[in-house]
Amino acid sequence: MNRNGILFWIGAALFLVAALLMTQVIGNQYPFFACYVILQFIVLAVAWSILGGYAGYVNFGTSAFFGVGVYTAVFLFKAFGAPLAVQIVAAAAVGAFLGFALGLLTLRMQGIFFSIATIALTIIIETSVTNWRFVGGAAGIQLQRPLGTWPFDDYVQMLFFVQALLVVLAIAIARYIQASWIGRGLQALKDDELAAECTGVPTLRLKVLACVISGSLMCAAGAPAAMYLQYADPSSAFNLNYSVSVLAMSLIGGTAHWAGPVVGAIVLGATQQLLTVTISSEVNVLVLGVMLVLFVVAAPEGIIGLIRRARRNRSGSKA
């Protein structure tokens, strides 16, 4: 393991220790509710970037995978009383299967055609869940959180820490992909898919693999959401705002590096939480649109691109 890898795992360990200490020190539950949402968006944005950033396939199906994760957890909890860990693992497996199916069916499409197909996937799955009475159908379903388990006094604290674990897992996977032959292959097909295929890059296999990993992480991020809200309904679980927000977070942070979606999710997620408390949740959409337009026009490489440009300018001035 190189120096950067060691520093990453040290940072990840410190992050998890800090998250655990928060659950033991802070008595007010609101910080956990707010931070949970930000952590959830970090996982979704990092997962989106594996296909949308590395491979360049703009995926509007985030809400489909997120909703499938929510309802996988709801089904397992209602049918078997499954614990949270089982819900997350099962949701990840379902997401991987769904990503594999989506990859085989649609990844021969390119550009806008692929994006439209992912939107259609969301509509199809949402319609199916709306007519599934066992999980509440269109009216939704109320859920009762179990009691908190040691070392957590409250179930919300446990959900917060579990989402922190998912953040570390998602970032670790994204880092590995970026530095491996998978990331180099995805970058090659993003630059010129036909040329990459002609030089022997297994483009279809790489795209399906990226879709599987991305879908698995998105569904895993959605699994705890039902218990977080104690309620699930199709219109909320499959809300297209998830797709738009995650895309915006990745673009604002920068899609060329694994850190970009993390930065974008923290900046935009924290801004949305602050606006929800101080003004209203409706303002979030306006802020999202304004920030997205500003970054697309003024900084298409995102915040990470701005940081890299500043470093290059500083190095040039010193030379």
Side-chain angles (χ1 to χ4, degrees):
M1 185 181 295
N2 59 25
R3 180 173 176 270
N4 288 336
I6 294 173
L7 290 175
F8 167 76
W9 285 112
I10 292 174
L14 292 174
F15 167 71
L16 292 177
V17 169
L20 183 60
L21 287 175
M22 280 182 63
T23 63
Q24 306 302 309
V25 174
I26 300 176
N28 186 359
Q29 294 303 309
Y30 177 75
F32 300 109
F33 277 99
C35 290
Y36 173 91
V37 174
I38 297 172
L39 294 176
Q40 172 185 275
F41 273 119
I42 292 175
V43 178
L44 291 174
V46 170
W48 184 92
S49 71
I50 293 173
L51 182 64
Y54 296 166
Y57 274 73
V58 178
N59 175 17
F60 284 104
T62 300
S63 52
F65 287 98
F66 182 83
V68 167
V70 170
Y71 274 96
T72 298
V74 169
F75 170 77
L76 290 174
F77 183 76
K78 185 176 180 182
F80 308 107
L84 182 62
V86 174
Q87 296 172 25
I88 293 173
V89 172
V94 172
F97 175 78
L98 182 62
F100 179 76
L102 176 67
L104 289 182
L105 292 173
T106 66
L107 282 179
R108 290 192 183 276
M109 303 177 182
Q110 295 183 11
I112 190 64
F113 301 104
F114 172 75
S115 300
I116 292 172
T118 57
I119 295 175
L121 175 70
T122 303
I123 297 171
I124 292 169
I125 298 177
E126 180 180 355
T127 303
S128 301
V129 173
T130 300
N131 292 281
W132 189 9
R133 292 186 178 181
F134 182 77
V135 292
I141 184 172
Q142 293 281 350
L143 299 168
Q144 184 64 41
R145 293 193 197 110
L147 297 174
T149 56
W150 187 88
F152 307 103
D153 296 329
D154 186 85
Y155 200 80
V156 174
Q157 295 178 352
M158 186 178 76
L159 290 176
F160 161 77
F161 186 74
V162 167
Q163 200 66 251
L165 287 172
L166 290 176
V167 166
V168 172
L169 176 63
I171 295 176
I173 292 173
R175 285 186 74 256
Y176 171 78
I177 290 174
Q178 181 176 307
S180 70
W181 65 272
I182 302 173
R184 292 190 292 272
L186 292 174
Q187 184 60 49
L189 71 89
K190 179 182 179 180
D191 293 337
D192 191 327
E193 186 168 342
L194 181 59
E197 195 164 342
C198 291
T199 55
V201 177
T203 55
L204 181 59
R205 190 184 309 169
L206 286 174
K207 288 185 289 186
V208 171
L209 179 60
C211 207
V212 167
I213 297 172
S214 177
S216 180
L217 289 173
M218 287 179 180
C219 281
M227 285 301 174
Y228 166 77
L229 296 171
Q230 296 190 91
Y231 176 76
D233 72 287
S235 61
S236 298
F238 295 94
N239 196 321
L240 281 175
N241 283 339
Y242 286 111
S243 298
V244 177
S245 296
V246 166
L247 185 150
M249 290 170 181
S250 299
L251 292 179
I252 288 170
T255 59
H257 193 274
W258 63 264
V262 178
V263 174
I266 293 173
V267 170
L268 196 53
T271 302
Q272 289 180 331
Q273 289 299 307
L274 181 63
L275 290 174
T276 299
V277 174
T278 57
I279 305 177
S280 71
S281 58
E282 286 75 14
V283 181
N284 289 340
V285 180
L286 175 61
V287 172
L288 178 68
V290 170
M291 291 183 68
L292 184 57
V293 170
L294 287 176
F295 273 90
V296 168
V297 174
E301 295 182 352
I303 295 174
I304 296 298
L306 291 175
I307 294 173
R308 287 178 169 176
R309 190 187 308 170
R311 286 180 175 176
R312 286 196 298 267
N313 292 338
R314 188 182 303 171
S315 299
S317 62
K318 288 181 179 179

